[in-house]
Amino acid sequence: MSLNNLDQLYRSVIMDHYKKPRNKGALEGSNVTIDMNNPTCGDRIRLTLQVNDGIVEDAKFDGEGCSISMSSASMMTQIIKGKTADEAQKLAHIFSDMMLGKDYDDSIDLGDVEALSGVSKFPARIKCATLAWKAMEKGVQDESENK
Amino acid sequence: MIKDDIRSYFPILNQEINGHPLVYLDSAATSQKPIQVIEAIKNYYEFENSNVHRGVHTLGNRATDSYEGSREKVRKFIHAKSTEEIIFTRGTTTALNIVAQSYGRANVGEGDEIVITYMEHHSNLIPWQQLAKEKGATLKYIDLESDGTLSLDKVRETITDKTKIVSLTFASNVLGTINPIKEIAAIAHEHGAVLVVDGAQGVPHFKTDVQDLDCDFLAFSGHKMCGPTGIGVLYGKKAHLENMDPVEFGGEMIDFVGLYESTWKELPWKFEGGTPIIAGAIGLGAAIDFLQEIGLDTIEKHEHTLSRYTMDQMHTIEGLTMYGPHDPAKRSGLVTFNLDDVHPHDVATVLDMNGIAVRAGHHCAQPLMKWLQCTATARASFYVYNNEEDIDRLVAGLRTAKEYFADVFE
């Protein structure tokens, strides 16, 4: 059994986020709500953000999905808190590069998110990992366009 | 003569995936292709390729003979009265859309009813949803029994004199339920409605006799029955097809073209606009030859044996839930399941790392997932080339997945 390969995907940090998701639920007083789903598999997420003066002050997520999509959402909400809208967008780009297996900008400390880099070796699971990040990117973009 | 070792005809099975011999358990999505089908397509392109129904030249005649020869094979395979009733399409989806857009638009009006079930694949749901919206008709669903079967009493309650079309699947791609088509056709006809059958998960797996079933339309896909992708069939009773307008217009389907008016070819060609799927039809013909040589009764029995074996084995895995009828004899060759709280995607990835291909997701049946109260499931589906060893590998893989994720859900 190729369990060593599986360990590249299911790193302990990922399983920890899946088991104990951070920032799960609906954010009270949020001013950005984004619903997104993955039509090929049924995973869905609702992301609620509090964005003030171009800063993501708080973030929560709710939804249903596999370990990769839910842990990725948990990690994403953790890292974007306190970031500016520009930094959040930049993180989304870095994450996208990471998923595509490209060299990515390592000037920002990614913390737990780094553990998801192994997903790039599992092409069928990349969409699971990017769902929450796409929701965040859209939310931050919509918010800045409304200004 | 087909050898006992049916697997030897499928070159794709002879390879390793992620370091393990491939176990292919996703035939309900698409089946693998035997060498006979691959060779038939190769042979067509090497020796016969030319356009059909027009050339005076010899190659053109060869291609036409092969293409129309496949139509006759399909006719025999489903026991239709005439090749006029066999229309080649891109697949089941296209075939069902032709019925909705041609027969449906002409025969369904405001206040009329279209009846389907909760177990329909999106391809037998959305065309009717769209038609109902366009015409101001009502789309009604026949409710399912708790084991995922249909009760004829509920079928009778749902179909009324306002019902113009009843459309349902021959066999569910998720539950495995085989539906009583013949009985439902009779009920639909009592009310003056037509019965449309989505045969994608039925025709490949058991003997289909459209005259015995007395269905008005039957749609199915070549790629789920050892044939190539991009070819499917719409069967329709001649009386219906004759009165129906084509949905695609252009070359090949015309009789006479004037500046402002045109007339159509006779059946079945009036529904086959443009250069047809010649190689696909020839590949499908070869697939039918292959299946018939094995025998559809043998295939059906083989799948029942595998379903029973799978269900027996899966019962020994604690925390595994199976969906659909409990009696393997009432099911087609597939088993849909969930393992504890492990998401089916995660189950499928663990299996994939062990060389085992299963489907995970909503199986293009979102309303059914809602009915089952889950967002996704995993599915193992069988065909002629699967054996008990494949199931043993699947069960071992599921035990690995369970162990692997055990500490997450302790």
Side-chain angles (χ1 to χ4, degrees):
Chain A
M1 300 269 165
S2 321
L3 294 179
N4 291 341
N5 288 338
L6 279 179
D7 291 339
Q8 288 180 19
L9 179 65
Y10 299 113
R11 306 266 293 272
S12 57
V13 182
I14 295 176
M15 298 321 281
D16 184 62
H17 274 268
Y18 185 39
K19 204 165 144 184
K20 293 178 290 191
R22 326 295 199 260
N23 310 310
K24 185 100 190 268
L27 186 64
E28 271 181 49
S30 66
N31 57 0
V32 180
T33 302
I34 299 293
D35 287 300
M36 214 169 257
N37 64 4
N38 184 345
T40 56
C41 66
D43 284 6
R44 54 167 200 87
I45 185 173
R46 167 167 286 183
L47 181 67
T48 42
L49 304 172
Q50 180 71 47
V51 185
N52 288 323
D53 301 327
I55 294 176
V56 184
E57 290 181 347
D58 208 350
K60 281 196 170 188
F61 79 99
D62 220 337
E64 286 165 16
C66 61
S67 59
I68 303 301
S69 70
M70 292 296 108
S71 62
S72 182
S74 170
M75 292 174 185
M76 184 276 293
T77 53
Q78 205 176 32
I79 197 167
I80 60 158
K81 273 195 212 178
K83 298 279 192 295
T84 66
D86 286 346
E87 285 168 335
Q89 298 271 25
K90 195 177 171 191
L91 278 166
H93 286 291
I94 292 173
F95 189 74
S96 169
D97 284 345
M98 186 200 271
M99 289 301 106
L100 295 170
K102 292 186 196 164
D103 290 336
Y104 52 88
D105 179 351
D106 56 4
S107 63
I108 299 179
D109 179 18
L110 295 175
D112 290 353
V113 174
E114 196 85 54
L116 286 165
S117 60
V119 176
S120 68
K121 294 192 182 69
F122 292 78
R125 305 303 297 275
I126 294 172
K127 277 189 176 167
C128 311
T130 52
L131 181 65
W133 295 79
K134 287 202 169 126
M136 182 271 281
E137 202 177 4
K138 186 170 189 301
V140 171
Q141 204 169 343
D142 288 356
E143 169 62 17
S144 63
E145 278 168 10
N146 289 340
K147 284 280 141 63
Chain B
M1 242 328 254
I2 293 275
K3 287 182 282 186
D4 283 347
D5 180 15
I6 287 174
R7 288 169 88 89
S8 65
Y9 293 106
F10 292 84
I12 203 167
L13 298 178
N14 188 27
Q15 65 174 312
E16 293 205 336
I17 298 284
N18 296 319
H20 301 271
L22 168 64
V23 169
Y24 186 76
L25 295 172
D26 197 17
S27 295
T30 195
S31 69
Q32 296 303 348
K33 322 303 174 200
I35 192 72
Q36 289 89 332
V37 169
I38 298 166
E39 288 292 335
I41 295 167
K42 187 167 168 270
N43 182 70
Y44 164 72
Y45 280 123
E46 285 182 355
F47 300 106
E48 298 180 344
N49 179 49
S50 54
N51 217 322
V52 293
H53 299 145
R54 60 184 78 175
V56 174
H57 56 74
T58 304
L59 272 190
N61 286 336
R62 271 189 211 166
T64 304
D65 287 349
S66 293
Y67 179 68
E68 292 302 329
S70 282
R71 199 189 305 276
E72 169 60 15
K73 285 177 187 178
V74 173
R75 183 202 68 75
K76 264 195 194 153
F77 188 64
I78 61 169
H79 196 224
K81 276 185 191 152
S82 146
T83 51
E84 292 173 295
E85 299 179 317
I86 307 297
I87 297 155
F88 284 125
T89 70
R90 192 170 64 81
T92 304
T93 300
T94 309
L96 291 168
N97 273 281
I98 292 173
V99 182
Q101 284 172 31
S102 178
Y103 185 88
R105 276 192 180 145
N107 292 283
V108 175
E110 204 179 333
D112 287 341
E113 295 168 352
I114 302 162
V115 171
I116 61 174
T117 79
Y118 279 104
M119 67 173 97
E120 300 314 316
H121 186 281
H122 295 161
S123 61
N124 193 31
L125 192 165
I126 304 167
W128 308 118
Q129 227 175 39
Q130 291 296 106
L131 179 65
K133 273 198 277 187
E134 184 187 314
K135 293 291 180 175
T138 308
L139 185 60
K140 286 167 81 178
Y141 287 82
I142 304 170
D143 205 359
L144 309 183
E145 300 305 291
S146 59
D147 66 347
T149 57
L150 286 176
S151 95
L152 289 175
D153 285 341
K154 285 202 181 124
V155 173
R156 278 188 205 97
E157 279 165 29
T158 316
I159 299 173
T160 72
D161 286 345
K162 283 185 184 171
T163 307
K164 293 288 181 284
I165 294 172
V166 179
S167 190
L168 83 164
T169 189
F170 206 159
S172 162
N173 69 317
V174 176
L175 302 166
T177 313
I178 300 169
N179 287 317
I181 298 298
K182 192 174 174 174
E183 289 78 1
I184 297 173
I187 297 167
H189 293 154
E190 278 168 29
H191 292 278
V194 293
L195 182 74
V196 184
V197 178
D198 168 0
Q201 302 291 346
V203 176
H205 304 285
F206 31 83
K207 213 174 248 175
T208 303
D209 181 334
V210 288
Q211 293 184 61
D212 179 56
L213 294 172
D214 199 23
C215 56
D216 296 274
F217 297 97
L218 170 76
F220 58 98
S221 297
H223 72 96
K224 292 191 202 286
M225 47 188 281
C226 292
T229 52
I231 184 77
V233 172
L234 171 63
Y235 156 83
K237 283 182 182 169
K238 190 179 170 188
H240 297 313
L241 294 175
E242 270 183 332
N243 293 318
M244 282 161 58
D245 285 329
V247 285
E248 281 194 333
F249 302 91
E252 291 269 1
M253 51 76 67
I254 47 85
D255 175 28
F256 174 79
V257 177
L259 285 180
Y260 303 103
E261 288 291 334
S262 299
T263 55
W264 321 135
K265 257 190 194 165
E266 66 271 37
L267 286 173
W269 302 291
K270 76 170 177 182
F271 289 102
E272 295 180 0
T275 293
I277 313 147
I278 308 168
I282 290 167
L284 176 59
I288 287 174
D289 289 342
F290 178 77
L291 295 177
Q292 284 191 320
E293 210 168 317
I294 298 169
L296 267 288
D297 289 338
T298 308
I299 294 170
E300 185 181 351
K301 216 174 128 200
H302 177 67
E303 289 183 29
H304 275 153
T305 308
L306 284 182
S307 289
R308 187 178 295 276
Y309 185 71
T310 308
M311 291 173 84
D312 286 348
Q313 294 295 308
M314 283 191 174
H315 275 304
T316 66
I317 303 174
E318 204 188 322
L320 189 140
T321 310
M322 281 180 269
Y323 303 98
H326 308 301
D327 181 359
K330 288 184 180 165
R331 305 171 60 110
S332 62
L334 61 89
V335 178
T336 295
F337 60 92
N338 264 318
L339 185 61
D340 290 320
D341 292 327
V342 187
H343 194 279
H345 274 180
D346 295 319
V347 173
T349 293
V350 175
L351 293 175
D352 182 44
M353 285 298 104
N354 289 292
I356 305 158
V358 299
R359 175 81 188 267
H362 57 55
H363 315 290
C364 299
Q366 288 181 24
L368 179 60
M369 289 295 118
K370 213 172 166 184
W371 184 85
L372 288 172
Q373 293 183 311
C374 44
T375 50
T377 59
R379 178 188 68 194
S381 53
F382 324 120
Y383 210 22
V384 287
Y385 35 74
N386 291 115
N387 57 26
E388 290 190 357
E389 202 186 320
D390 291 340
I391 310 303
D392 292 340
R393 290 269 309 279
L394 168 69
V395 170
L398 289 173
R399 290 192 194 282
T400 306
K402 197 176 154 67
E403 275 163 38
Y404 192 82
F405 289 102
D407 60 325
V408 181
F409 300 104
E410 69 199 2

